[in-house]
């Protein structure tokens, strides 16, 4: 018991004893003889007066107690009264759902930890270095050579386009911010340029996953008539051999006797790309132990990313099923389920790696790192709002949709609309989480 209350009670008891004794003495010696009451009547008088004094003392005691210890005395009563007034379970509180956020201890002392989500999943940070194949180890000299080649527009037919034209590393986070890529002669391709950042962690490259390595991939754009348009491997090699400082850099990277070939050009570019990685994100800091790195909305989004099933396809350190860490099912159908988004964004005009005649596409699962910085999105760059991509994914890939009939007055068409069963709050939480996958550095240079 609180020491103050104990003191008060002892003091009160003493005061009461003094008061009762005084009262008895007064009745016995003064009031009794004066009123000429005899024997037990005196006691009755004493009791009557005494109870008055007692009631007065009790009142004083309550006043003193309430004035001095309001928390102790009043709180229990307030709580009991207020309880039935609280909202019942049927009236949800307004605003975003509030989750209590707690960190699990890392030690074995988790016996009474809260029940885990039904689906167990280990979140992983990006390694600080990208793995390289044995035949093309990443060296500083080779990466420096690759960097020069990456920015060299002379490697295109008319000298106007370099890799960096479509993969603007800093201002556009390694992509080009256009729906379709724009190559030589102003030709516009049908596919969106993905970022080259963290491509080093992808086991399959291109939207349809047709290249199995960065070395193999780099040859593609050089010879693609829509992109850099060089007529042949020999033509690319001749351009590089024509520059003396390239000759010296190749000797430094591959040995003096190694001739300049398209394969080595691609190896140097690939070595450079393996240095283009972004472990500097709020998400990675969080997974490495900085529990304050994510905002509440991002934490809610992270939990939803897991519980709604995005992790079935976008998993591991690079948020992709086509990763160097796990390449078991790199390609997935998209869109899996029928949704009106298919018409709205022409999602099956190009069916990627699907066999000819298929009515839906098959695509490599893309990484989601820096995805908030690399819009517009999807293989055709048709979607320019990240929240809409999340709705499409939830509906088309996870069946999170409700069916609605939609009448369009403009062209008088009636269609069914699969509306996102994820609430707008959930969609925006997932978007907040995707933003946590953006590199701090690229957010500064490309942040929009
Ligand atoms: C004209 C624009 C353009 C140029 C120039 C260009 N690219 Fe690309 N890049 C693209 C497009 C578009 C894609 C996707 C094509 C596809 O999936 O079919 C792509 C895909 C890639 C990918 C695959 C990324 C992934 O996640 O799958 C890498 C890596 C890449 N390019 C590197 C390069 C390099 C290296 C060069 C220079 C040798 C280069 N690009 C030149 C437009 C371009
Ligand atoms: C069944 C596998 C699968 C699931 C589940 C899935 N995705 Fe995807 N996701 C893909 C594929 C495949 C693509 C590439 C689609 C295309 O453009 O062709 C993609 C593309 C994306 C993109 C666009 C990437 C870009 O650079 O344009 C985002 C963002 C995305 N997914 C987020 C999510 C979110 C959030 C969820 C959970 C709500 C999710 N995905 C669930 C397979 C999946």
């Amino acid at each position: 018991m609180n020491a103050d209350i104990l003191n008060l009670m002892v003091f009160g008891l003493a005061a009461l004893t003094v008061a009762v004794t005084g009262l008895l003495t007064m009745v016995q010696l003064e009031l009794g003889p004066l009123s000429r009451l005899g024997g037990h009547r005196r006691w009755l008088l004493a009791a009557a007066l005494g109870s008055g004094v007692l009631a007065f003392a009790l009142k004083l005691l309550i006043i003193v107690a309430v004035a001095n210890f309001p928390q102790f005395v009043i709180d229990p009563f307030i709580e009991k009264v207020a309880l039935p007034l609280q909202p019942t379970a049927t009236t949800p509180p307004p605003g975003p759902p509030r989750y209590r956020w707690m960190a699990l201890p890392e030690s074995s002392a988790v016996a009474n930890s809260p029940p885990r989500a039904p689906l167990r999943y280990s979140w992983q940070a990006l390694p600080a270095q990208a793995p390289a194949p044995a035949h093309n180890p990443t060296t500083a000299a080779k990466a420096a050579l690759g960097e020069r080649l990456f920015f060299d527009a002379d490697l295109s037919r008319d000298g106007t386009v370099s890799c960096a034209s479509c993969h603007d590393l800093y201002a556009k986070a390694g992509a080009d911010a256009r729906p379709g890529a724009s190559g030589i002669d102003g030709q516009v391709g049908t596919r969106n340029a993905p970022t080259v950042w963290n491509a080093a962690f992808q086991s399959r490259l291109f939207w349809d996953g047709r290249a199995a390595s960065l070395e193999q991939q780099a040859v593609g754009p050089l010879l693609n008539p829509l992109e850099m348009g060089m007529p042949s491997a020999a033509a690319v090699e001749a351009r590089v051999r024509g520059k003396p400082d390239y000759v010296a850099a190749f000797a430094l990277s591959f040995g003096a006797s190694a001739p300049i070939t398209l394969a080595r050009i691609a190896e140097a570019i690939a070595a450079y790309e393996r240095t283009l990685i972004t472990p500097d994100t709020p998400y990675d800091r969080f997974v490495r132990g900085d529990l304050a790195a994510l905002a509440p909305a991002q934490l809610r989004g992270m939990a939803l990313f897991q519980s709604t099933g995005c992790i079935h396809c976008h998993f591991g350190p690079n948020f992709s099923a086509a990763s160097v860490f796990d390449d078991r099912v790199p390609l997935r159908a998209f869109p899996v389920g029928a949704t009106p988004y298919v018409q709205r964004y022409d999602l099956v005009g190009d069916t990627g790696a699907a066999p000819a005649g298929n009515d839906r596409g098959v695509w490599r699962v893309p990484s989601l790192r820096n995805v908030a910085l690399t819009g517009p999105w999807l293989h055709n760059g048709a979607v320019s709002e990240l929240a809409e991509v999340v709705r499409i994914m939830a509906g088309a890939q996870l069946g999170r949709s409700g069916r609605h009939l939609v009448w369009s007055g403009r062209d008088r068409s009636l269609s069914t609309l699969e509306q996102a069963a994820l609430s707008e709050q959930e969609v925006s939480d997932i978007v907040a989480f995707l933003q946590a996958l953006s590199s701090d550095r690229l957010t500064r240079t490309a942040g929009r």
Side-chain angles (χ1 to χ4, degrees):
M1 192 190 285
N2 189 291
D4 288 336
I5 292 190
L6 203 72
N7 283 346
L8 194 79
M9 277 172 57
V10 170
F11 189 75
L13 218 64
L16 212 66
T17 316
V18 171
V20 169
T21 316
L23 190 82
L24 287 181
T25 318
M26 202 169 74
V27 169
Q28 195 66 19
L29 301 181
E30 289 284 331
L31 287 178
L34 216 74
S35 60
R36 291 192 212 103
L37 288 176
H40 61 278
R41 293 208 174 150
R42 283 188 193 179
W43 287 114
L44 267 178
L45 180 67
L49 288 172
S51 57
V53 171
L54 214 64
F56 186 67
L58 209 66
K59 271 188 208 165
L60 272 181
L61 197 72
I62 289 173
I63 290 170
V64 168
V66 170
N68 285 298
F69 311 102
Q71 301 97 307
F72 289 112
V73 183
I74 306 174
D75 271 9
F77 295 100
I78 290 183
E79 226 165 13
K80 273 199 197 104
V81 174
L83 220 57
L85 298 179
Q86 290 203 337
T88 58
T90 49
T91 53
R98 302 242 308 264
Y99 298 95
R100 283 255 309 274
W101 149 240
M102 61 185 287
L104 282 181
E106 264 170 48
S107 68
S108 57
V110 287
N112 52 3
S113 62
R116 286 178 180 265
L119 191 61
R120 279 191 63 171
Y121 179 68
S122 289
W123 297 93
Q124 293 170 58
L126 201 67
Q129 259 177 351
H135 70 89
N136 188 26
T138 311
T139 64
K142 216 190 285 173
L145 169 61
E147 179 172 13
R148 285 191 51 200
L149 292 163
F150 190 90
F151 286 93
D152 191 347
D154 283 344
L155 297 184
S156 67
R157 198 188 67 218
D158 60 3
T160 58
V161 175
S162 72
C163 307
S165 308
C166 301
H167 301 287
D168 187 335
L169 293 185
Y170 296 100
K172 311 229 160 84
D176 63 359
R178 305 161 187 262
S182 159
I184 54 166
D185 305 328
Q187 300 178 91
V188 177
T190 54
R191 287 191 186 163
N192 176 254
T195 180
V196 287
W197 287 100
N198 307 305
F201 293 105
Q202 297 292 97
S203 61
R204 309 290 168 106
L205 296 147
F206 289 124
W207 284 100
D208 51 14
R210 66 186 181 278
S213 70
L214 287 174
E215 285 80 0
Q216 193 186 332
Q217 190 283 327
V219 174
L222 292 168
L223 303 180
N224 185 325
L226 285 177
E227 298 188 335
M228 298 166 84
M230 294 296 280
S232 65
V236 181
E237 291 161 359
R239 286 271 172 97
V240 175
R241 275 190 212 119
K243 296 188 178 181
D245 44 349
Y246 267 142
V247 176
F250 266 85
L252 199 65
S253 305
F254 296 99
S257 58
I260 294 177
T261 60
L262 183 58
R264 291 207 177 90
I265 291 170
E267 281 178 13
I269 292 176
Y272 172 55
E273 287 173 316
R274 291 197 176 96
T275 67
L276 300 178
I277 65 174
T278 61
D280 61 327
T281 74
Y283 164 80
D284 292 279
R285 284 200 300 280
F286 177 82
V287 173
R288 295 200 176 98
D290 174 4
L291 297 181
L294 297 186
Q298 294 176 319
L299 285 168
R300 294 197 300 266
M302 184 166 166
L304 285 165
F305 193 86
Q306 174 172 341
S307 62
T308 58
C310 309
I311 54 162
H312 288 306
C313 296
H314 300 281
F315 58 81
N318 208 27
F319 290 83
S320 167
S323 97
V324 294
F325 309 106
D326 184 340
D327 179 50
R328 282 170 295 178
V329 196
L331 306 184
R332 300 290 164 103
F334 170 79
V336 173
T339 122
Y341 291 121
V342 171
Q343 284 79 43
R344 195 176 312 159
Y345 299 112
D346 189 21
L347 297 181
V348 292
D350 179 352
T351 52
N358 230 43
D359 56 2
R360 60 179 184 179
V362 171
W363 300 96
R364 183 267 326 249
V365 176
S367 164
L368 298 183
R369 285 188 171 269
N370 299 305
V371 75
L373 303 174
T374 59
W377 292 274
L378 299 182
H379 63 265
N380 57 1
V383 185
S384 53
E385 191 207 354
L386 189 53
E388 184 79 337
V389 184
V390 174
R391 287 181 210 114
I392 294 172
M393 282 289 139
Q397 302 301 82
L398 292 163
R400 295 285 308 238
S401 50
R403 201 158 255 196
H404 298 266
L405 284 175
V406 175
W407 168 253
S408 160
R410 197 153 47 103
D411 53 7
R412 277 178 285 165
S413 69
L414 182 67
S415 57
T416 52
L417 171 71
E418 305 275 344
Q419 237 184 17
L422 290 183
S423 72
E424 279 309 292
Q425 182 64 47
E426 289 169 323
V427 169
S428 85
D429 286 345
I430 292 179
V431 168
F433 173 60
L434 294 177
Q435 282 160 349
L437 306 180
S438 294
S439 145
D440 296 333
R441 180 183 183 187
L442 297 184
T443 300
R444 282 195 297 275
T445 59
R448 280 170 279 169

